[in-house]
Amino acid sequence: CPAIDACESSNGGCSAKAECRRTTPGSRTCVCSPGYTGDGIVCLEINPCLVNNGGCDRNAECTQIGPNQAACNCLKGYSGDGRTCTYISLCSQNNGGCSEFAICNDTELTERTCTCKPNYIGDGFKCRGNIFQELLRNSNTSRFYFHLEALSIRDIAGPGPFTLFVPRTDILNSDPRVKDWVAKGLMAQVLRYHMVGCATLLYRDLAAVTNVTSLQGDLIHLSYSQNSLVLNNKAEIILSDAVGTNGVIHVINQILVP
């Protein structure tokens, strides 16, 4: 008589995810396939993420992608292959997006704070030093800075406070009178006529007064015309309120002449 193969029909009653193994005639055993667990009659997928995070780093997410198979992906704020994840310091790249004159501090994952360094003011993303330094950093005002340096005028490097009315760089470069003032030794007076001492006068403050006294000694007349502040009835403030540690800079579109 031929031996009965218990596995011949319907996988021997084993799970579809199991292997039916013939043992003795008419008998069999069921063994779950790799990646599955159970008694062979019932076989369930093994989820490796349920044990030891699937072998992923504790700072990684384990995702089951198949029977006893997992993918490891580092959490936000970490980098690596998922098996090993390293914390990414936001401050280690480009100072964390803070100003070059700020200190970046990592606080939490994906978070950091920006604080301006001593002798600078701002929100940490933009930090300003004293107005003498700030003149050089802005192309609109850098020419004024070079004229001050050429004449060794360092008034506004002091504690202040000061208010500056700075003719835009292209105005200073193109006005033919500048060379004449330099040749005649008058440029220092002209420059100091653009400076006001003992006060940080913001745009709103200037709109409330009619005259201010320059470091040169003469008055600067202020008026409000066509939604603009005008100095001496001719020079308009075109950029305002660049605040530094010792004062404020306003950019004007003409040179003031004492």
mmCIF file of all heavy atoms in Angstrom, residues 129-136 141 144-145 148-149 152-166 191-192 194-199 215 244-249:
data_model
loop_
_atom_site.group_PDB
_atom_site.id
_atom_site.type_symbol
_atom_site.label_atom_id
_atom_site.label_comp_id
_atom_site.label_asym_id
_atom_site.label_seq_id
_atom_site.Cartn_x
_atom_site.Cartn_y
_atom_site.Cartn_z
ATOM 1 N N GLY A 129 26.511 97.088 15.542
ATOM 2 C CA GLY A 129 27.459 97.660 16.487
ATOM 3 C C GLY A 129 27.208 99.156 16.601
ATOM 4 O O GLY A 129 26.087 99.635 16.411
ATOM 5 N N ASN A 130 28.257 99.920 16.862
ATOM 6 C CA ASN A 130 28.052 101.367 16.920
ATOM 7 C C ASN A 130 27.880 101.916 15.504
ATOM 8 O O ASN A 130 28.224 101.259 14.517
ATOM 9 C CB ASN A 130 29.183 102.068 17.686
ATOM 10 C CG ASN A 130 30.523 102.012 16.975
ATOM 11 O OD1 ASN A 130 30.633 102.346 15.801
ATOM 12 N ND2 ASN A 130 31.559 101.590 17.685
ATOM 13 N N ILE A 131 27.342 103.101 15.409
ATOM 14 C CA ILE A 131 26.973 103.623 14.086
ATOM 15 C C ILE A 131 28.194 103.890 13.214
ATOM 16 O O ILE A 131 28.097 103.873 11.983
ATOM 17 C CB ILE A 131 26.087 104.884 14.198
ATOM 18 C CG1 ILE A 131 26.750 105.963 15.061
ATOM 19 C CG2 ILE A 131 24.720 104.530 14.753
ATOM 20 C CD1 ILE A 131 25.943 107.250 15.145
ATOM 21 N N PHE A 132 29.349 104.099 13.825
ATOM 22 C CA PHE A 132 30.570 104.274 13.031
ATOM 23 C C PHE A 132 30.888 102.974 12.287
ATOM 24 O O PHE A 132 31.228 102.984 11.095
ATOM 25 C CB PHE A 132 31.728 104.677 13.951
ATOM 26 C CG PHE A 132 32.979 105.094 13.218
ATOM 27 C CD1 PHE A 132 32.992 106.248 12.450
ATOM 28 C CD2 PHE A 132 34.135 104.339 13.300
ATOM 29 C CE1 PHE A 132 34.136 106.639 11.773
ATOM 30 C CE2 PHE A 132 35.284 104.728 12.631
ATOM 31 C CZ PHE A 132 35.285 105.877 11.869
ATOM 32 N N GLN A 133 30.748 101.843 12.974
ATOM 33 C CA GLN A 133 30.959 100.541 12.332
ATOM 34 C C GLN A 133 29.902 100.270 11.266
ATOM 35 O O GLN A 133 30.211 99.754 10.184
ATOM 36 C CB GLN A 133 30.891 99.420 13.380
ATOM 37 C CG GLN A 133 31.974 99.457 14.442
ATOM 38 C CD GLN A 133 31.686 98.468 15.561
ATOM 39 O OE1 GLN A 133 30.599 98.440 16.121
ATOM 40 N NE2 GLN A 133 32.672 97.653 15.884
ATOM 41 N N GLU A 134 28.672 100.624 11.582
ATOM 42 C CA GLU A 134 27.569 100.323 10.669
ATOM 43 C C GLU A 134 27.651 101.103 9.363
ATOM 44 O O GLU A 134 27.177 100.640 8.329
ATOM 45 C CB GLU A 134 26.230 100.592 11.351
ATOM 46 C CG GLU A 134 25.925 99.656 12.517
ATOM 47 C CD GLU A 134 26.023 98.191 12.126
ATOM 48 O OE1 GLU A 134 25.439 97.808 11.095
ATOM 49 O OE2 GLU A 134 26.708 97.432 12.836
ATOM 50 N N LEU A 135 28.248 102.279 9.397
ATOM 51 C CA LEU A 135 28.424 103.049 8.153
ATOM 52 C C LEU A 135 29.176 102.241 7.110
ATOM 53 O O LEU A 135 28.830 102.231 5.927
ATOM 54 C CB LEU A 135 29.195 104.344 8.448
ATOM 55 C CG LEU A 135 28.443 105.468 9.165
ATOM 56 C CD1 LEU A 135 29.413 106.597 9.514
ATOM 57 C CD2 LEU A 135 27.296 106.006 8.316
ATOM 58 N N LEU A 136 30.212 101.547 7.551
ATOM 59 C CA LEU A 136 31.053 100.799 6.621
ATOM 60 C C LEU A 136 30.344 99.563 6.075
ATOM 61 O O LEU A 136 30.588 99.148 4.945
ATOM 62 C CB LEU A 136 32.352 100.392 7.324
ATOM 63 C CG LEU A 136 33.382 99.619 6.488
ATOM 64 C CD1 LEU A 136 33.816 100.431 5.269
ATOM 65 C CD2 LEU A 136 34.585 99.248 7.338
ATOM 66 N N THR A 141 26.018 103.911 2.828
ATOM 67 C CA THR A 141 26.645 104.850 3.756
ATOM 68 C C THR A 141 28.162 104.718 3.832
ATOM 69 O O THR A 141 28.820 105.469 4.544
ATOM 70 C CB THR A 141 26.065 104.660 5.176
ATOM 71 O OG1 THR A 141 26.293 103.301 5.608
ATOM 72 C CG2 THR A 141 24.573 104.945 5.202
ATOM 73 N N PHE A 144 30.469 107.842 3.163
ATOM 74 C CA PHE A 144 30.504 108.783 4.284
ATOM 75 C C PHE A 144 31.551 108.325 5.297
ATOM 76 O O PHE A 144 32.328 109.131 5.827
ATOM 77 C CB PHE A 144 29.121 108.854 4.929
ATOM 78 C CG PHE A 144 28.934 109.998 5.886
ATOM 79 C CD1 PHE A 144 28.550 111.252 5.432
ATOM 80 C CD2 PHE A 144 29.113 109.824 7.253
ATOM 81 C CE1 PHE A 144 28.354 112.315 6.314
ATOM 82 C CE2 PHE A 144 28.923 110.866 8.149
ATOM 83 C CZ PHE A 144 28.545 112.115 7.680
ATOM 84 N N TYR A 145 31.600 107.020 5.550
ATOM 85 C CA TYR A 145 32.582 106.451 6.473
ATOM 86 C C TYR A 145 34.003 106.747 5.996
ATOM 87 O O TYR A 145 34.859 107.160 6.795
ATOM 88 C CB TYR A 145 32.379 104.937 6.589
ATOM 89 C CG TYR A 145 33.481 104.215 7.331
ATOM 90 C CD1 TYR A 145 33.436 104.065 8.711
ATOM 91 C CD2 TYR A 145 34.582 103.691 6.642
ATOM 92 C CE1 TYR A 145 34.453 103.410 9.385
ATOM 93 C CE2 TYR A 145 35.611 103.040 7.315
ATOM 94 C CZ TYR A 145 35.535 102.902 8.693
ATOM 95 O OH TYR A 145 36.547 102.260 9.358
ATOM 96 N N LEU A 148 35.039 110.250 6.703
ATOM 97 C CA LEU A 148 35.354 110.424 8.126
ATOM 98 C C LEU A 148 36.739 109.873 8.449
ATOM 99 O O LEU A 148 37.526 110.506 9.167
ATOM 100 C CB LEU A 148 34.302 109.709 8.990
ATOM 101 C CG LEU A 148 32.876 110.260 8.972
ATOM 102 C CD1 LEU A 148 31.961 109.370 9.813
ATOM 103 C CD2 LEU A 148 32.823 111.688 9.491
ATOM 104 N N GLU A 149 37.041 108.715 7.923
ATOM 105 C CA GLU A 149 38.342 108.096 8.166
ATOM 106 C C GLU A 149 39.474 108.932 7.585
ATOM 107 O O GLU A 149 40.522 109.118 8.217
ATOM 108 C CB GLU A 149 38.381 106.689 7.550
ATOM 109 C CG GLU A 149 37.756 105.613 8.407
ATOM 110 C CD GLU A 149 38.626 105.231 9.592
ATOM 111 O OE1 GLU A 149 38.506 105.888 10.649
ATOM 112 O OE2 GLU A 149 39.433 104.304 9.459
ATOM 113 N N SER A 152 40.147 111.602 9.886
ATOM 114 C CA SER A 152 40.321 111.153 11.281
ATOM 115 C C SER A 152 39.238 111.699 12.201
ATOM 116 O O SER A 152 39.489 112.066 13.359
ATOM 117 C CB SER A 152 41.717 111.548 11.812
ATOM 118 O OG SER A 152 42.735 110.940 11.049
ATOM 119 N N ILE A 153 38.020 111.787 11.686
ATOM 120 C CA ILE A 153 36.881 112.234 12.498
ATOM 121 C C ILE A 153 36.267 111.004 13.162
ATOM 122 O O ILE A 153 35.690 110.146 12.504
ATOM 123 C CB ILE A 153 35.825 112.950 11.626
ATOM 124 C CG1 ILE A 153 36.436 114.200 10.984
ATOM 125 C CG2 ILE A 153 34.611 113.321 12.461
ATOM 126 C CD1 ILE A 153 35.515 114.897 10.000
ATOM 127 N N ARG A 154 36.429 110.930 14.490
ATOM 128 C CA ARG A 154 35.957 109.747 15.201
ATOM 129 C C ARG A 154 34.891 110.091 16.247
ATOM 130 O O ARG A 154 34.637 109.311 17.155
ATOM 131 C CB ARG A 154 37.145 109.054 15.901
ATOM 132 C CG ARG A 154 38.281 108.649 14.975
ATOM 133 C CD ARG A 154 37.819 107.718 13.875
ATOM 134 N NE ARG A 154 37.388 106.431 14.364
ATOM 135 C CZ ARG A 154 38.194 105.368 14.486
ATOM 136 N NH1 ARG A 154 39.458 105.462 14.124
ATOM 137 N NH2 ARG A 154 37.720 104.233 14.958
ATOM 138 N N ASP A 155 34.279 111.256 16.095
ATOM 139 C CA ASP A 155 33.268 111.692 17.067
ATOM 140 C C ASP A 155 32.234 110.605 17.358
ATOM 141 O O ASP A 155 31.896 110.318 18.508
ATOM 142 C CB ASP A 155 32.533 112.935 16.563
ATOM 143 C CG ASP A 155 33.464 114.068 16.151
ATOM 144 O OD1 ASP A 155 34.362 113.803 15.334
ATOM 145 O OD2 ASP A 155 33.271 115.194 16.634
ATOM 146 N N ILE A 156 31.704 110.006 16.287
ATOM 147 C CA ILE A 156 30.578 109.082 16.447
ATOM 148 C C ILE A 156 31.016 107.678 16.848
ATOM 149 O O ILE A 156 30.181 106.767 16.925
ATOM 150 C CB ILE A 156 29.734 109.019 15.153
ATOM 151 C CG1 ILE A 156 30.593 108.594 13.967
ATOM 152 C CG2 ILE A 156 29.052 110.344 14.892
ATOM 153 C CD1 ILE A 156 29.789 108.358 12.697
ATOM 154 N N ALA A 157 32.311 107.489 17.112
ATOM 155 C CA ALA A 157 32.762 106.206 17.635
ATOM 156 C C ALA A 157 32.618 106.172 19.154
ATOM 157 O O ALA A 157 32.771 105.126 19.784
ATOM 158 C CB ALA A 157 34.210 105.944 17.244
ATOM 159 N N GLY A 158 32.321 107.343 19.750
ATOM 160 C CA GLY A 158 32.154 107.433 21.198
ATOM 161 C C GLY A 158 30.816 106.885 21.656
ATOM 162 O O GLY A 158 30.022 106.379 20.868
ATOM 163 N N PRO A 159 30.528 107.019 22.970
ATOM 164 C CA PRO A 159 29.304 106.430 23.530
ATOM 165 C C PRO A 159 28.016 107.074 23.049
ATOM 166 O O PRO A 159 26.960 106.459 23.067
ATOM 167 C CB PRO A 159 29.478 106.614 25.046
ATOM 168 C CG PRO A 159 30.437 107.764 25.189
ATOM 169 C CD PRO A 159 31.356 107.660 24.012
ATOM 170 N N GLY A 160 28.100 108.346 22.630
ATOM 171 C CA GLY A 160 26.910 109.005 22.090
ATOM 172 C C GLY A 160 25.902 109.345 23.158
ATOM 173 O O GLY A 160 26.261 109.557 24.319
ATOM 174 N N PRO A 161 24.616 109.376 22.800
ATOM 175 C CA PRO A 161 24.052 108.939 21.512
ATOM 176 C C PRO A 161 24.157 110.001 20.427
ATOM 177 O O PRO A 161 24.301 111.181 20.712
ATOM 178 C CB PRO A 161 22.593 108.654 21.847
ATOM 179 C CG PRO A 161 22.283 109.610 22.962
ATOM 180 C CD PRO A 161 23.545 109.726 23.771
ATOM 181 N N PHE A 162 24.070 109.555 19.182
ATOM 182 C CA PHE A 162 24.160 110.437 18.024
ATOM 183 C C PHE A 162 23.030 110.129 17.040
ATOM 184 O O PHE A 162 22.493 109.024 17.009
ATOM 185 C CB PHE A 162 25.497 110.255 17.288
ATOM 186 C CG PHE A 162 26.715 110.494 18.129
ATOM 187 C CD1 PHE A 162 27.414 109.426 18.700
ATOM 188 C CD2 PHE A 162 27.183 111.780 18.345
ATOM 189 C CE1 PHE A 162 28.537 109.636 19.463
ATOM 190 C CE2 PHE A 162 28.315 112.003 19.116
ATOM 191 C CZ PHE A 162 28.993 110.929 19.683
ATOM 192 N N THR A 163 22.736 111.135 16.227
ATOM 193 C CA THR A 163 21.840 110.953 15.086
ATOM 194 C C THR A 163 22.585 111.412 13.853
ATOM 195 O O THR A 163 23.129 112.520 13.826
ATOM 196 C CB THR A 163 20.542 111.772 15.253
ATOM 197 O OG1 THR A 163 19.852 111.321 16.427
ATOM 198 C CG2 THR A 163 19.626 111.597 14.051
ATOM 199 N N LEU A 164 22.634 110.548 12.837
ATOM 200 C CA LEU A 164 23.353 110.870 11.598
ATOM 201 C C LEU A 164 22.385 111.004 10.431
ATOM 202 O O LEU A 164 21.467 110.197 10.272
ATOM 203 C CB LEU A 164 24.356 109.760 11.246
ATOM 204 C CG LEU A 164 25.585 109.560 12.118
ATOM 205 C CD1 LEU A 164 26.508 108.548 11.441
ATOM 206 C CD2 LEU A 164 26.318 110.863 12.339
ATOM 207 N N PHE A 165 22.632 112.015 9.623
ATOM 208 C CA PHE A 165 21.948 112.165 8.335
ATOM 209 C C PHE A 165 23.011 111.950 7.273
ATOM 210 O O PHE A 165 23.865 112.813 7.059
ATOM 211 C CB PHE A 165 21.318 113.546 8.215
ATOM 212 C CG PHE A 165 20.334 113.857 9.314
ATOM 213 C CD1 PHE A 165 20.660 114.768 10.310
ATOM 214 C CD2 PHE A 165 19.103 113.232 9.362
ATOM 215 C CE1 PHE A 165 19.763 115.060 11.330
ATOM 216 C CE2 PHE A 165 18.201 113.514 10.376
ATOM 217 C CZ PHE A 165 18.532 114.432 11.372
ATOM 218 N N VAL A 166 22.990 110.800 6.630
ATOM 219 C CA VAL A 166 24.088 110.408 5.740
ATOM 220 C C VAL A 166 23.667 110.486 4.275
ATOM 221 O O VAL A 166 22.759 109.754 3.847
ATOM 222 C CB VAL A 166 24.558 108.973 6.068
ATOM 223 C CG1 VAL A 166 25.712 108.571 5.155
ATOM 224 C CG2 VAL A 166 24.982 108.880 7.525
ATOM 225 N N LEU A 191 30.858 117.431 6.986
ATOM 226 C CA LEU A 191 30.511 116.129 7.565
ATOM 227 C C LEU A 191 29.860 116.288 8.935
ATOM 228 O O LEU A 191 28.854 115.643 9.237
ATOM 229 C CB LEU A 191 31.768 115.256 7.675
ATOM 230 C CG LEU A 191 32.409 114.824 6.346
ATOM 231 C CD1 LEU A 191 33.723 114.112 6.604
ATOM 232 C CD2 LEU A 191 31.467 113.929 5.533
ATOM 233 N N ARG A 192 30.433 117.162 9.763
ATOM 234 C CA ARG A 192 29.877 117.348 11.116
ATOM 235 C C ARG A 192 28.501 118.019 11.071
ATOM 236 O O ARG A 192 27.727 117.897 12.020
ATOM 237 C CB ARG A 192 30.852 118.161 11.975
ATOM 238 C CG ARG A 192 32.057 117.347 12.446
ATOM 239 C CD ARG A 192 32.822 118.053 13.569
ATOM 240 N NE ARG A 192 33.847 117.181 14.115
ATOM 241 C CZ ARG A 192 35.120 117.203 13.751
ATOM 242 N NH1 ARG A 192 35.536 118.081 12.834
ATOM 243 N NH2 ARG A 192 35.999 116.383 14.293
ATOM 244 N N HIS A 194 26.234 116.989 9.372
ATOM 245 C CA HIS A 194 25.294 115.875 9.208
ATOM 246 C C HIS A 194 25.150 115.065 10.496
ATOM 247 O O HIS A 194 24.481 114.019 10.501
ATOM 248 C CB HIS A 194 25.767 114.949 8.079
ATOM 249 C CG HIS A 194 25.710 115.580 6.719
ATOM 250 N ND1 HIS A 194 26.641 116.501 6.285
ATOM 251 C CD2 HIS A 194 24.818 115.429 5.698
ATOM 252 C CE1 HIS A 194 26.332 116.888 5.051
ATOM 253 N NE2 HIS A 194 25.231 116.245 4.666
ATOM 254 N N MET A 195 25.747 115.531 11.579
ATOM 255 C CA MET A 195 25.732 114.797 12.848
ATOM 256 C C MET A 195 25.034 115.620 13.922
ATOM 257 O O MET A 195 25.242 116.820 14.033
ATOM 258 C CB MET A 195 27.163 114.504 13.319
ATOM 259 C CG MET A 195 28.051 113.820 12.316
ATOM 260 S SD MET A 195 29.740 113.670 12.974
ATOM 261 C CE MET A 195 30.614 113.150 11.499
ATOM 262 N N VAL A 196 24.226 114.936 14.719
ATOM 263 C CA VAL A 196 23.562 115.563 15.867
ATOM 264 C C VAL A 196 23.956 114.770 17.104
ATOM 265 O O VAL A 196 23.884 113.529 17.110
ATOM 266 C CB VAL A 196 22.026 115.559 15.703
ATOM 267 C CG1 VAL A 196 21.352 116.126 16.960
ATOM 268 C CG2 VAL A 196 21.628 116.358 14.467
ATOM 269 N N GLY A 197 24.402 115.482 18.145
ATOM 270 C CA GLY A 197 24.844 114.806 19.361
ATOM 271 C C GLY A 197 23.765 114.741 20.433
ATOM 272 O O GLY A 197 22.729 115.396 20.368
ATOM 273 N N CYS A 198 24.021 113.879 21.428
ATOM 274 C CA CYS A 198 23.208 113.799 22.660
ATOM 275 C C CYS A 198 21.798 113.269 22.459
ATOM 276 O O CYS A 198 20.945 113.449 23.338
ATOM 277 C CB CYS A 198 23.143 115.161 23.352
ATOM 278 S SG CYS A 198 24.761 115.836 23.763
ATOM 279 N N ALA A 199 21.513 112.663 21.325
ATOM 280 C CA ALA A 199 20.152 112.156 21.125
ATOM 281 C C ALA A 199 20.113 111.098 20.025
ATOM 282 O O ALA A 199 20.813 111.209 19.016
ATOM 283 C CB ALA A 199 19.202 113.291 20.764
ATOM 284 N N LEU A 215 26.624 118.906 15.126
ATOM 285 C CA LEU A 215 27.908 118.999 15.814
ATOM 286 C C LEU A 215 28.760 120.121 15.235
ATOM 287 O O LEU A 215 29.669 120.620 15.894
ATOM 288 C CB LEU A 215 28.665 117.662 15.704
ATOM 289 C CG LEU A 215 28.095 116.460 16.473
ATOM 290 C CD1 LEU A 215 29.044 115.270 16.361
ATOM 291 C CD2 LEU A 215 27.849 116.797 17.930
ATOM 292 N N GLY A 244 21.998 101.738 15.945
ATOM 293 C CA GLY A 244 23.201 101.091 16.454
ATOM 294 C C GLY A 244 23.270 101.245 17.959
ATOM 295 O O GLY A 244 22.355 101.758 18.600
ATOM 296 N N THR A 245 24.378 100.795 18.546
ATOM 297 C CA THR A 245 24.495 100.830 20.004
ATOM 298 C C THR A 245 24.631 102.248 20.535
ATOM 299 O O THR A 245 24.347 102.506 21.708
ATOM 300 C CB THR A 245 25.712 100.020 20.466
ATOM 301 O OG1 THR A 245 26.895 100.512 19.816
ATOM 302 C CG2 THR A 245 25.539 98.543 20.143
ATOM 303 N N ASN A 246 25.069 103.168 19.692
ATOM 304 C CA ASN A 246 25.280 104.535 20.182
ATOM 305 C C ASN A 246 24.543 105.586 19.342
ATOM 306 O O ASN A 246 24.944 106.739 19.297
ATOM 307 C CB ASN A 246 26.776 104.863 20.237
ATOM 308 C CG ASN A 246 27.422 104.886 18.863
ATOM 309 O OD1 ASN A 246 26.886 104.299 17.920
ATOM 310 N ND2 ASN A 246 28.556 105.548 18.734
ATOM 311 N N GLY A 247 23.488 105.175 18.657
ATOM 312 C CA GLY A 247 22.739 106.165 17.892
ATOM 313 C C GLY A 247 21.975 105.558 16.739
ATOM 314 O O GLY A 247 21.746 104.352 16.673
ATOM 315 N N VAL A 248 21.615 106.443 15.809
ATOM 316 C CA VAL A 248 20.777 106.012 14.685
ATOM 317 C C VAL A 248 21.242 106.702 13.404
ATOM 318 O O VAL A 248 21.750 107.832 13.431
ATOM 319 C CB VAL A 248 19.285 106.345 14.964
ATOM 320 C CG1 VAL A 248 19.065 107.847 15.127
ATOM 321 C CG2 VAL A 248 18.371 105.793 13.864
ATOM 322 N N ILE A 249 21.082 106.003 12.277
ATOM 323 C CA ILE A 249 21.476 106.518 10.964
ATOM 324 C C ILE A 249 20.227 106.686 10.096
ATOM 325 O O ILE A 249 19.386 105.786 10.010
ATOM 326 C CB ILE A 249 22.456 105.556 10.258
ATOM 327 C CG1 ILE A 249 23.736 105.393 11.074
ATOM 328 C CG2 ILE A 249 22.779 106.062 8.854
ATOM 329 C CD1 ILE A 249 24.637 104.271 10.561
#
